[in-house]
Amino acid sequence: MSSTKLLTLKTSDGEEFKLDEAVAVKSQAIKNMVEDDCVSNAIPLPNVDSKTMTKVIEYWKKHSEEGVSKDQLNDFDKGFLEVHHSVLYDLLLAANYLNDKELVDVICQEVADRIKGKTPEEIRKEFDIKNDFTPEEEEKIRQENAWAFD
Amino acid sequence: MIRVSIKMAAAEMDKEDRISYLPRNVIDRILELLPVEDAARTSILSTKWRYIWAMLPNLVLDKPFCKKVAARSDCVFNAIVDKILLQHLGDVLKFDLDVSAVQCPDIDRWMLYVTRNGVKKLKLNMSKDSTFKVPSYIFNCPTLTKLKLFNCVFKPPKSFRGFPNLTTLYLEKVTFVSTTEIINVSLVNLTLMHCNGTQYLNIVSAGLKSLYYCESHCNLDLNCFINCKKLTYLYLEVLNYSTPAERLTLEKLLLSLTTLEKLTLCSQELELLSAGAVPKGLPFTLNCLWHLHLGVDLGQIGQTYYALELIKSFPNLSKLEIWVQGRDDIVEADLKYIDAQTCLDRPLNKLKDVTMHYFVGSKAELFFIKLLLARTPSLERMSIEPAGSLEEWNIAIELMRFPRASPKAELWYLTNVD
């Protein structure tokens, strides 16, 4: 049985989160700090707010639970990712900052799924991207990669 | 229903284009997870997106994409891959190409391009009956760190001595046609699956950490791995050993691998090693080995005996996985031998986790499990994965009745295995 060592994480808005070290090291960034032995006090996370950290910890805890089946994890992930784009971006930025490759991949896949199969116009609408090409420029790009636009 | 309330909330949130301002590595990852055409189309979204796909360092042209495009015609396929590579900006760090469903792809030219543009990870799947010869550009590529080839002919130029920076080499259904020397200090992982002509291979790689060899005949001279002092992972699955001399080589090999941590052997290896009289105690003790994965035909007492001797040679074994091969059940006399439990005279103190795969509920398996449960005082978990549907209740009840040396051992009977 591994010893349950608790780590304290401090988010940008000053809130502190206590977490099992075994769970927190899903973040490669935190893992490095633990290995370099600079975790005597709270670990500062200036790039993550408490709202996002709560969600990240929720994900980490679920994925560290014993006896959870693959189906149950898939259901959890589905519900976890069924949020508005801006929540996803906050999560993505946090996961990237914390260097949790697994979580980054899961969220990137969700964003990719929201892009897949849509026309450029639909994608722009969905993600509020402004089309700043002239019609001539747009036509040129279409011709360059005609195979993709068929 | 959830989506409706999100859309309503979205109307209240600021309409801000945040996706275009995500870190570049994140956007690259999103594009990598999209089908190729979808990723290419992002170049038209806005000026910010214009060249993101063109500069994507990892280009994956997978089987579904290639098959779909090649369905139009081979010429069209070649033209499109040409276009993709020509409009690419910057180095191609990773290039995955699966042309197993394409008739006449123009591979050489594309290999020339990526090897000149800094490719580090290269994966090439040719079709099943292809006679494609790996071109010299690949053998001479100085930037390669990871190479995966399927269905090719591997004939290096005379000057070839090994890839200077390669750490991972994965060859599946690859054919060697003449003496091939791979002298490579940097090689860490080597996988040879179902290759032909492995008798021509001479591998000198002192830094090798992982070796995976799955073959129908043992032609590979295992002697060349005897000096791999850093080997931590060995997987051997050979269907057919042709000479008894191979037994000595295998034993010599196991004896030399003092740093081995994970070992997988199949019933054919056990059959070879147990041929003839099995001595009491094996000539090697591997202290670093903590994970053993064995394919055993429990109907053959020689194999069962050798498996137990192996288990005893690894004093720090903490994880054991057994997959049951062979359908014959054990004879009564041999059952008594296992039941007597003298074959495992001392307890396995470090063993914490045992899994039985493809469990069919034969007498031999039940006695084997009973033996393990009685001799593992530190056991935390015993998992049984049945091969198919069995009379589960009866088997489970019988398993539960076996006495356990470890008070905290949990028995997991896994019915829904992926």
Side-chain angles (χ1 to χ4, degrees):
Chain A
M1 279 277 135
S2 52
S3 57
T4 45
K5 186 171 165 208
L6 284 178
L7 290 181
T8 310
L9 310 173
K10 192 160 170 181
T11 54
S12 59
D13 43 359
E15 209 176 303
E16 288 193 353
F17 292 84
K18 284 203 172 13
L19 194 58
D20 271 347
E21 182 184 303
V23 173
V25 292
K26 276 180 182 294
S27 150
Q28 190 64 43
I30 294 179
K31 188 165 185 228
N32 291 343
M33 282 194 245
V34 167
E35 281 166 4
D36 289 344
D37 208 19
C38 26
V39 296
S40 44
N41 302 322
I43 299 177
L45 302 173
N47 286 11
V48 189
D49 66 27
S50 52
K51 191 171 126 212
T52 312
M53 195 69 226
T54 310
K55 284 215 77 135
V56 172
I57 291 179
E58 186 194 329
Y59 182 88
W60 284 347
K61 281 193 169 157
K62 190 70 184 182
H63 281 254
S64 306
E65 251 177 53
E66 285 250 18
V68 182
S69 75
K70 252 194 187 146
D71 285 334
Q72 285 174 319
L73 273 183
N74 283 339
D75 285 339
F76 169 81
D77 284 359
K78 244 175 98 183
F80 182 81
L81 297 165
E82 205 153 7
V83 290
H84 187 261
H85 296 316
S86 57
V87 179
L88 274 187
Y89 301 142
D90 290 335
L91 274 171
L92 198 42
L93 290 169
N96 195 39
Y97 173 73
L98 290 165
N99 199 348
D100 179 351
K101 192 172 177 297
E102 190 198 309
L103 183 54
V104 169
D105 272 3
V106 163
I107 307 173
C108 282
Q109 183 66 67
E110 173 64 27
V111 177
D113 289 345
R114 294 186 191 190
I115 295 176
K116 211 187 302 193
K118 292 192 164 80
T119 65
E121 195 43 58
E122 286 167 346
I123 301 172
R124 286 189 198 115
K125 194 151 176 256
E126 174 92 17
F127 292 92
D128 300 307
I129 301 174
K130 189 165 181 298
N131 180 3
D132 49 359
F133 286 121
T134 66
E136 295 83 26
E137 284 168 337
E138 224 188 290
E139 186 51 38
K140 185 162 173 286
I141 300 171
R142 245 174 233 275
Q143 278 176 13
E144 266 173 29
N145 279 315
W147 57 273
F149 288 95
D150 280 341
Chain B
M1 285 200 289
I2 299 174
R3 287 226 175 267
V4 171
S5 54
I6 287 175
K7 279 204 157 76
M8 282 164 54
E12 293 154 18
M13 291 187 184
D14 280 340
K15 283 194 168 235
E16 197 193 329
D17 172 12
R18 284 182 67 189
I19 191 173
S20 308
Y21 295 90
L22 288 172
R24 185 53 170 266
N25 66 310
V26 169
I27 298 185
D28 280 349
R29 188 74 190 119
I30 294 170
L31 288 187
E32 281 166 34
L33 294 168
L34 280 172
V36 180
E37 308 96 312
D38 289 73
R41 284 202 292 266
T42 59
S43 52
I44 212 174
L45 290 175
S46 77
T47 50
K48 245 193 160 283
W49 287 83
R50 179 74 178 88
Y51 294 109
I52 295 186
W53 186 70
M55 294 205 273
L56 205 60
N58 300 337
L59 261 181
V60 176
L61 305 180
D62 58 13
K63 189 168 181 178
F65 171 73
C66 293
K67 193 168 173 191
K68 191 168 83 174
V69 176
R72 288 147 81 171
S73 87
D74 273 357
C75 284
V76 168
F77 177 75
N78 288 331
I80 289 178
V81 179
D82 277 350
K83 262 205 145 113
I84 293 175
L85 288 178
L86 275 176
Q87 60 89 56
H88 192 270
L89 292 168
D91 280 355
V92 180
L93 293 180
K94 177 173 152 180
F95 189 59
D96 270 10
L97 182 63
D98 188 331
V99 286
S100 47
V102 182
Q103 297 282 33
C104 307
D106 233 331
I107 305 279
D108 280 41
R109 165 157 102 219
W110 302 329
M111 291 299 111
L112 179 61
Y113 178 87
V114 297
T115 51
R116 279 183 180 168
N117 281 282
V119 71
K120 288 195 180 153
K121 300 183 188 176
L122 179 63
K123 183 166 132 184
L124 183 58
N125 281 64
M126 300 301 299
S127 61
K128 236 180 8 183
D129 42 8
S130 127
T131 50
F132 175 73
K133 290 202 194 61
V134 178
S136 58
Y137 334 120
I138 295 184
F139 290 112
N140 297 328
C141 179
T143 47
L144 272 178
T145 57
K146 204 164 158 175
L147 178 62
K148 275 186 163 180
L149 298 171
F150 296 73
N151 292 306
C152 305
V153 173
F154 196 94
K155 186 170 184 218
K158 282 213 161 50
S159 52
F160 180 71
R161 280 290 167 268
F163 301 93
N165 290 306
L166 203 70
T167 54
T168 300
L169 181 61
Y170 180 107
L171 301 173
E172 187 173 324
K173 301 211 173 85
V174 167
T175 305
F176 302 95
V177 292
S178 56
T179 309
T180 303
E181 260 192 351
I182 300 182
I183 302 173
N184 195 325
V185 172
S186 57
L187 197 65
V188 168
N189 304 310
L190 176 63
T191 301
L192 296 165
M193 277 195 48
H194 309 301
C195 296
N196 289 317
T198 42
Q199 68 267 26
Y200 292 115
L201 264 185
N202 179 19
I203 301 173
V204 180
S205 187
L208 201 67
K209 286 201 181 138
S210 135
L211 173 63
Y212 190 114
Y213 185 67
C214 179
E215 197 42 77
S216 45
H217 297 280
C218 187
N219 288 319
L220 182 67
D221 185 6
L222 293 173
N223 273 306
C224 56
F225 299 110
I226 286 183
N227 280 317
C228 292
K229 292 296 179 207
K230 292 193 185 162
L231 204 72
T232 55
Y233 175 55
L234 175 64
Y235 179 111
L236 278 180
E237 184 177 356
V238 177
L239 297 183
N240 208 325
Y241 284 95
S242 30
T243 66
E246 283 162 333
R247 179 200 164 157
L248 284 172
T249 311
L250 186 52
E251 268 191 357
K252 237 171 82 182
L253 179 65
L254 289 172
L255 183 70
S256 75
L257 299 176
T258 48
T259 49
L260 204 62
E261 292 176 24
K262 237 182 118 164
L263 174 65
T264 302
L265 293 176
C266 308
S267 68
Q268 287 77 19
E269 276 73 39
L270 291 184
E271 188 62 39
L272 176 75
L273 289 164
S274 61
V278 181
K280 197 97 184 109
L282 297 178
F284 47 83
T285 307
L286 299 180
N287 288 314
C288 297
L289 204 124
W290 61 272
H291 188 164
L292 179 63
H293 194 180
L294 288 178
V296 190
D297 184 351
L298 287 173
Q300 303 293 327
I301 190 64
Q303 287 192 27
T304 312
Y305 187 94
Y306 201 92
L308 290 169
E309 288 297 321
L310 267 180
I311 292 170
K312 284 196 280 186
S313 312
F314 308 138
N316 289 309
L317 188 68
S318 72
K319 192 169 154 110
L320 174 65
E321 291 182 75
I322 305 255
W323 87 90
V324 181
Q325 292 180 277
R327 282 280 163 265
D328 297 328
D329 208 346
I330 198 168
V331 296
E332 204 60 47
D334 296 334
L335 255 186
K336 286 213 176 70
Y337 169 73
I338 301 184
D339 200 18
Q341 299 188 353
T342 47
C343 49
L344 205 55
D345 42 6
R346 43 172 197 280
L348 304 168
N349 286 320
K350 299 268 173 71
L351 193 55
K352 293 211 177 89
D353 194 313
V354 178
T355 306
M356 301 282 293
H357 300 281
Y358 304 112
F359 178 74
V360 294
S362 67
K363 284 211 204 80
E365 287 162 298
L366 288 171
F367 276 84
F368 196 79
I369 294 171
K370 188 171 165 192
L371 173 66
L372 286 176
L373 284 171
R375 284 280 185 249
T376 49
S378 312
L379 191 69
E380 289 171 14
R381 183 171 161 146
M382 160 85 72
S383 311
I384 318 278
E385 287 174 12
S389 59
L390 303 172
E391 294 165 24
E392 280 158 18
W393 264 128
N394 293 338
I395 302 278
I397 289 173
E398 199 167 343
L399 287 168
M400 282 191 278
R401 273 176 34 212
F402 293 156
R404 301 174 203 180
S406 165
K408 48 183 164 66
E410 291 178 8
L411 190 70
W412 288 68
Y413 198 79
L414 303 166
T415 44
N416 261 342
V417 182
D418 293 333

